[in-house]
Amino acid sequence: MSNKSENFNWLPERIGKYKIEKVLGMGGMGVIYTAKQEPLNRTVALKVLQPMSGHSEEAKKRFEIEAQAVSRLEHQNIVQLYEYGQEESYTFFAMQFIDGENLSQRIHGKKVMTFGEMIDISKQICRALRYAHGKEVIHRDIKPQNVLIDKGGLAHLTDFGIAKVFSGGDITMTGVAVGTPEYMSPEQAEGRRPDAQTDIYSLGILMYEMATKSPPFTGENPVSIAYKQVHEIAAPPSIKRKDIPKRLELIILKALKKDKGKRYATIDEMLNDLDSVDVDEKVERQTLSFLSSKKKESKPTRGIKEKRITDRRMGDRRFGRNARQTGINLFCAEFWIESWRTQSLSIVLWLMTMLILLLHFVNHP
């Protein structure tokens, strides 16, 4: 057998019925090629475990888990598995080939992503995760490089190399952090057992990056990034991109809650909220600790009932604030009604004092 390339001289031109064409990419476990499946003449993405990894049981196990995870999933937004097998010394699996680009290339391209495009891709990933979670598969490595966009705009989730399959084996143990630091959930960073909310957090980071072109937490090394995932609060995306829809920002920030009790409990909840986003509703004021000194009132979205967000540091006493802005009108009935409601005890004490003084003057003229 002749070799295809000096850089990959361990790989022959053919593996079984697959004729190798070109390199698509290379990861820690293996190389991904485009290949022709004969006799169907179908183009596939062929992922091959590197022979030099053959002595690593962890690499083999991870490769098997990825194939096992993908084999469970048949969804339009998840890359489809065609075959898993061995040929001579090569372990491989053939997958659906996506003719397009990955989401990282789309995010960091010359053209800024529109919010409509961002929401559409986010909803497609939500549907893929909803299906995977329903099949008891957690991805655990949601990031832009693992989302492929075909030329028709359809998003495909790929690379289930560190997926958790509940009814199968798991190559990781509690206490060991697994994932990509920039997209890792706090529980992953601390080595705690992951669940569906792990993918929700990572999707929140991916959406943050789609909106701002950078993830919320970066650093010089993986340890510093993991520390930020656990201990630091993400700045609202509107600081970097002021025209982001208000409701979309709230969805991202809820997905990024450190406390899982405050994060979306299921991907379905997140998808439902994404369905309600109005791309024309902009964030006109910063949120909570990132509140701008210049406040503006934002118009509520028509047909959407939202919870009011209050910044307690600035106080929320409507009467006091309005009095300073507009002045006090002693001849306005609303002023006296509001005064009685808020200062009734003081008024009663004042009246009793006046009555005592009056009686004193009457009895001692």
Side-chain angles (χ1 to χ4, degrees):
M1 291 183 185
S2 61
N3 294 327
K4 190 75 175 175
S5 168
E6 291 182 1
N7 293 329
F8 301 98
N9 55 14
W10 52 269
L11 188 67
E13 290 189 353
R14 178 185 296 275
I15 294 181
K17 55 191 172 186
Y18 299 99
K19 184 179 180 180
I20 308 301
E21 291 188 332
K22 64 178 182 179
V23 178
L24 276 179
M26 186 172 182
M29 289 191 298
V31 182
I32 303 176
Y33 289 81
T34 53
K36 283 290 184 181
Q37 181 182 2
E38 298 175 345
L40 299 178
N41 198 34
R42 175 170 64 177
T43 300
V44 302
L46 192 71
K47 189 168 186 177
V48 183
L49 184 65
Q50 297 183 37
M52 61 277 291
S53 301
H55 298 295
S56 170
E57 289 302 319
E58 180 178 321
K60 282 185 177 181
K61 186 66 175 177
R62 182 173 293 183
F63 206 73
E64 291 174 5
I65 285 178
E66 180 172 5
Q68 182 186 33
V70 179
S71 69
R72 289 168 166 252
L73 309 174
E74 295 183 13
H75 190 274
Q76 66 173 356
N77 296 121
I78 297 176
V79 170
Q80 185 178 353
L81 177 71
Y82 294 143
E83 182 184 9
Y84 173 79
Q86 284 188 317
E87 186 72 24
E88 297 180 353
S89 60
Y90 306 109
T91 302
F92 69 91
F93 56 82
M95 303 176 291
Q96 176 187 6
F97 171 71
I98 306 300
D99 186 12
E101 61 184 349
N102 67 45
L103 185 54
S104 181
Q105 294 169 319
R106 178 72 60 89
I107 291 171
H108 300 287
K110 294 181 179 179
K111 188 177 179 181
V112 177
M113 292 183 68
T114 66
F115 292 117
E117 181 183 17
M118 175 184 165
I119 292 168
D120 178 57
I121 291 174
S122 298
K123 288 163 71 173
Q124 290 188 62
I125 299 171
C126 278
R127 295 187 190 105
L129 289 175
R130 178 175 62 183
Y131 179 83
H133 294 170
K135 295 292 184 178
E136 299 186 319
V137 174
I138 300 171
H139 191 283
R140 296 202 295 184
D141 199 20
I142 302 296
K143 58 184 179 181
Q145 294 84 348
N146 289 341
V147 178
L148 305 179
I149 312 293
D150 66 24
K151 292 183 177 180
L154 194 65
H156 304 262
L157 190 59
T158 188
D159 200 346
F160 284 76
I162 61 170
K164 168 69 178 176
V165 183
F166 284 113
S167 60
D170 187 11
I171 62 169
T172 61
M173 299 177 294
T174 300
V176 179
V178 176
T180 305
E182 288 83 357
Y183 307 93
M184 189 181 289
S185 69
E187 52 270 25
Q188 279 179 291
E190 293 181 321
R192 290 186 278 128
R193 185 172 295 277
D195 57 19
Q197 287 180 287
T198 294
D199 285 345
I200 291 172
Y201 184 95
S202 298
L203 177 55
I205 291 184
L206 185 148
M207 291 172 63
Y208 190 106
E209 186 171 355
M210 280 196 281
T212 67
K213 285 185 173 287
S214 65
F217 306 112
T218 57
E220 295 181 356
N221 56 68
V223 174
S224 66
I225 300 171
Y227 179 87
K228 292 178 182 180
Q229 297 287 15
V230 176
H231 298 287
E232 294 190 7
I233 304 298
S238 56
I239 288 180
K240 297 181 179 180
R241 189 168 176 182
K242 299 183 184 301
D243 61 339
I244 186 172
K246 176 183 177 182
R247 194 163 182 81
L248 180 58
E249 179 177 69
L250 294 176
I251 290 170
I252 293 172
L253 294 177
K254 183 172 181 178
L256 294 179
K257 292 292 186 183
K258 310 295 184 187
D259 183 350
K260 291 171 64 176
K262 297 178 181 179
R263 199 184 304 167
Y264 285 105
T266 67
I267 202 71
D268 246 341
E269 290 181 12
M270 192 172 182
L271 181 58
N272 289 337
D273 279 355
L274 281 169
D275 283 333
S276 69
V277 174
D278 179 2
V279 294
D280 295 322
E281 182 200 21
K282 309 304 179 187
V283 174
E284 295 183 352
R285 56 190 174 91
Q286 307 282 325
T287 306
L288 297 177
S289 60
F290 299 93
L291 187 69
S292 171
S293 59
K294 185 177 180 180
K295 290 186 176 182
K296 297 180 181 178
E297 292 185 359
S298 57
K299 296 180 180 179
T301 304
R302 186 176 301 173
I304 298 176
K305 185 177 181 181
E306 296 183 344
K307 293 182 179 179
R308 183 172 168 230
I309 299 176
T310 301
D311 184 3
R312 296 295 180 188
R313 298 169 307 153
M314 302 298 293
D316 192 36
R317 297 178 178 84
R318 292 173 176 264
F319 169 70
R321 183 167 62 239
N322 290 339
R324 287 192 298 271
Q325 293 174 349
T326 63
I328 298 174
N329 187 353
L330 297 176
F331 299 99
C332 177
E334 292 181 359
F335 168 78
W336 292 105
I337 293 173
E338 184 67 19
S339 296
W340 175 259
R341 187 180 68 83
T342 59
Q343 304 292 334
S344 56
L345 180 59
S346 298
I347 293 173
V348 169
L349 291 173
W350 181 81
L351 289 174
M352 289 179 64
T353 302
M354 291 299 102
L355 180 59
I356 291 171
L357 289 173
L358 180 62
L359 291 175
H360 176 79
F361 286 124
V362 169
N363 294 327
H364 302 83

